[in-house]
Amino acid sequence: MNIRKLGVTGGFAFTPEVHRDRRGLFVSPLQESAFATAIGGRFPVAQTNHSVSARNVLRGVHFTVVPPGQAKYVYCARGRALDVMVDIRVGSPTFGQWEATELDAESYQAVYFPEGVGHAFLALEDDTTMSYLVSSGYRAEQEKGIDPLDPELGLPWPAGIRPLLSDRDAAAPSLAEAEALGLLPRYVDCLPGQG
């Protein structure tokens, strides 16, 4: 397993070895020992989620209220996606910064999102299937979003596409508006043992 530290504080990318033969392939996108080496503890899986998206579907920027917060471990099980991590934790050394990683069903690279970090992705192919392991269960009232097309964030969506957004994502506030409304998590509340 190859581990790469990302530019957003607490974010990591994990690339497992893919075993291929005439029958197909076998891969382990999450390996506890590699995760513990990078993060310093186990990933507490409370729920698994799957999304299937048509090409140019843009989901996010999503985050969960802290506390309780929600960490995510995300990989692409089919197709390709441009996956983006956005640091929305007020007081974080990397607040407002983002990191983009292309995820696909060839490398099975996975991205770890610590609590309080925003997540968005753009499906680059039809039937792109994203698999999420999350540290807490879904509660609609705790799910929030930021405009993925916020020009101040300048997320790296490819030029010339017409992204398809949900009504919720299209109506989401900008990062500055979310901060002014007090919607964003505080970095100090996202540190281990604080949430």
Side-chain angles (χ1 to χ4, degrees), residues 27-30 43 45 47-53 59 70-81 83 103-105 108-113 119 121 127-134:
V27 65
S28 296
L30 175 63
F43 187 82
V45 178
Q47 183 172 307
T48 63
N49 301 327
H50 236 48
S51 69
V52 179
S53 301
R59 296 180 189 258
Q70 183 180 80
K72 295 180 181 177
Y73 193 90
V74 180
Y75 68 94
C76 181
R78 180 177 179 179
R80 275 184 326 122
D83 200 74
L103 302 181
D104 60 45
Y108 290 92
Q109 180 172 223
V111 179
Y112 169 70
F113 293 77
H119 177 225
F121 73 85
D127 297 320
T128 292
T129 303
M130 300 293 278
S131 183
Y132 312 66
L133 306 174
V134 295

Side-chain angles (χ1 to χ4, degrees), residues 4 14 42 73 79 121 129 149 171 182:
R4 181 172 55 94
F14 297 85
R42 299 179 72 183
Y73 193 90
F121 73 85
T129 303
L149 302 176

Side-chain angles (χ1 to χ4, degrees), residues 48-163:
T48 63
N49 301 327
H50 236 48
S51 69
V52 179
S53 301
R55 184 171 188 229
N56 293 336
V57 166
L58 176 55
R59 296 180 189 258
V61 175
H62 299 153
F63 66 99
T64 302
V65 171
V66 176
Q70 183 180 80
K72 295 180 181 177
Y73 193 90
V74 180
Y75 68 94
C76 181
R78 180 177 179 179
R80 275 184 326 122
L82 182 61
D83 200 74
V84 178
M85 175 183 296
V86 183
D87 195 342
I88 59 170
R89 301 166 295 181
V90 175
S92 167
T94 55
F95 177 77
Q97 295 179 28
W98 52 263
E99 175 111 11
T101 305
E102 188 170 310
L103 302 181
D104 60 45
E106 293 296 315
S107 71
Y108 290 92
Q109 180 172 223
V111 179
Y112 169 70
F113 293 77
E115 288 183 6
V117 171
H119 177 225
F121 73 85
L122 175 70
L124 300 174
E125 296 178 1
D126 282 334
D127 297 320
T128 292
T129 303
M130 300 293 278
S131 183
Y132 312 66
L133 306 174
V134 295
S135 64
S136 63
Y138 176 78
R139 291 178 57 191
E141 70 277 8
Q142 294 179 338
E143 299 301 313
K144 304 294 178 196
I146 294 169
D147 181 0
L149 302 176
D150 178 356
E152 294 299 314
L153 277 177
L155 299 180
W157 310 125
I161 65 154
R162 294 185 59 146

